[in-house]
Amino acid sequence: MNIGVLGAGQLGRMLALAGYPLANRFTFLDTTGHPSAGIGDVMVYTDQHHLDDFLAKVDLVTYEFEHLPVALVQAIEEVKPVYPSSEAIRVCQNRAEEKALFDRLGIPTPAYRLVEHADELEAAARELGCPVVAKSVTEGYDGKGQAVIRDPAEAAEAWRAINHPRLIVEAFVDFVREVSIIAVRGRDGEVVFYPMAENVHVDGILRYSLAPMPDLDDSVQRVADDYIRALLDELDYVGVLTLELFQARDGGLLANEMAPRVHNSGHWSMDGAVTSQFENHLRAIQGLPLGDTAARMPTCMVNVIGREGDPAAILAMQDAHLHRYDKAERPGRKLAHVNLLAPTHEALLEKVRACAALLPEAPAPVFSFE
């Protein structure tokens, strides 16, 4: 089967690598003008002619990047099956729509306000109590398109810096850790869940994801499973969905945002789970049985950001798996990731620190359970 992928970055690259053993072929349609997949058949979309050529080559379409014109995805749906649907993209692109969906399904979130003017932003900051986070309602990821406001007087400057006509303002959460739940829903409605991961961000960019968490109560995993299942069923979703959450001090979970695709916090599954998120996404969209999501052993994904370390030194570590994206070095750019496995969490933490020391721009990780 020839699978069309909207977007042509490292997530698409990893989808292709997972799909070749299933005899899948891949055609990527890049909408940014900067494709980096380096694999499969890559086409750059500029007009209807390119879209027609793309659609003629593929059997079905998925995406590795949700910042796409919804009208484009809807037009593709008229011609070929698209999984997940354009409705998932429409909701996930708009933080106001996303929060409304969470509210409707009873999924708790941090307190928030929607604002359309600097004065409204200042009022929201006063009402919610600083600090607050202001984010553009559309666009923005990896910390882009947002600002932390520590005093209502900073609202006007934050409004100018974000430079977007509508913002969502969120109260700060006194959380213990940031976590994510990844689930997969098949075309027949079957759902499987990965163990939750603890995520460590620096400057808004994910640095470390560790799964399974050694101190996670089974009841918390079940709550997260219920939240994401509600989203999957409501959207009649097919494929991998990611829900990012805050875990509060009382153990409760608050939803931050969701991503309708394979996700950076699931990269650990490539080596640490029985079936990776990438293979399971491909199974789901093709109507194949979903694979086992259990963790083989404690695993941590280490993102390589900005500058790469010495590959030989990293690969000299026992049970270390380096996944490079063949991208040029640039500050803040995701260049690769390393998956580290160990029989115990204690041994894993030692390995993670040793790996971080080999990377030029890797801060020392601090996990909540240490």
Side-chain angles (χ1 to χ4, degrees), residues 136-367:
S136 58
V137 165
T138 58
E139 304 170 339
Y141 59 97
D142 285 346
K144 302 178 181 72
Q146 58 184 264
V148 176
I149 300 173
R150 304 189 183 282
D151 185 286
E154 299 171 3
E157 181 182 346
W159 181 267
R160 285 191 299 271
I162 297 173
N163 190 29
H164 194 277
R166 198 174 189 217
L167 306 183
I168 189 165
V169 190
E170 299 175 345
F172 253 67
V173 178
D174 182 22
F175 61 88
V176 174
R177 56 188 169 192
E178 295 178 77
V179 298
S180 58
I181 173 75
I182 292 177
V184 196
R185 187 174 185 270
R187 279 159 56 170
D188 61 355
E190 176 191 7
V191 178
V192 294
F193 308 92
Y194 283 92
M196 290 175 69
E198 176 170 350
N199 303 317
V200 177
H201 292 80
V202 179
D203 297 329
I205 300 176
L206 182 66
R207 292 286 184 161
Y208 302 94
S209 285
L210 185 146
M213 294 184 277
D215 60 340
L216 184 71
D217 191 279
D218 287 346
S219 64
V220 177
Q221 175 82 42
R222 288 195 295 272
V223 168
D225 291 354
D226 289 344
Y227 289 165
I228 199 167
R229 182 190 285 275
L231 291 165
L232 290 164
D233 289 344
E234 177 72 13
L235 294 168
D236 195 18
Y237 194 95
V238 175
V240 166
L241 180 70
T242 307
L243 179 61
E244 299 176 20
L245 305 129
F246 301 110
Q247 186 172 20
R249 296 194 180 280
D250 64 1
L253 298 173
L254 295 172
N256 178 25
E257 58 188 31
M258 61 182 181
R261 53 174 169 78
V262 289
H263 194 262
N264 201 169
S265 69
H267 289 359
W268 69 269
S269 68
M270 296 172 74
D271 302 290
V274 176
T275 312
S276 77
Q277 64 166 344
F278 298 98
E279 181 179 337
N280 255 338
H281 183 77
L282 295 170
R283 288 187 183 209
I285 66 176
Q286 293 176 88
L288 298 171
L290 303 182
D292 188 351
T293 56
R296 296 183 184 276
M297 65 175 72
T299 306
C300 185
M301 185 277 306
V302 181
N303 258 344
V304 180
I305 310 290
R307 288 193 294 153
E308 295 201 57
D310 178 6
I314 294 169
L315 291 171
M317 300 177 66
Q318 184 178 9
D319 223 343
H321 307 270
L322 176 60
H323 300 267
R324 302 175 72 187
Y325 309 153
D326 195 21
K327 294 163 71 173
E329 293 184 337
R330 190 175 70 208
R333 193 179 202 192
K334 295 176 182 176
L335 303 174
H337 70 270
V338 185
N339 284 336
L340 303 167
L341 286 77
T344 67
H345 283 88
E346 292 75 18
L348 180 61
L349 289 178
E350 289 183 17
K351 192 174 289 189
V352 172
R353 293 191 183 96
C355 181
L358 297 174
L359 298 172
E361 298 183 19
V366 178
F367 293 98

Side-chain angles (χ1 to χ4, degrees), residues 52-74:
D52 291 342
D53 284 351
F54 170 76
L55 292 173
K57 292 181 178 182
V58 304
D59 300 303
L60 58 81
V61 177
T62 188
Y63 42 89
E64 57 103 64
F65 178 72
E66 67 267 37
H67 298 285
L68 297 160
V70 174
L72 172 65
V73 184
Q74 291 171 336

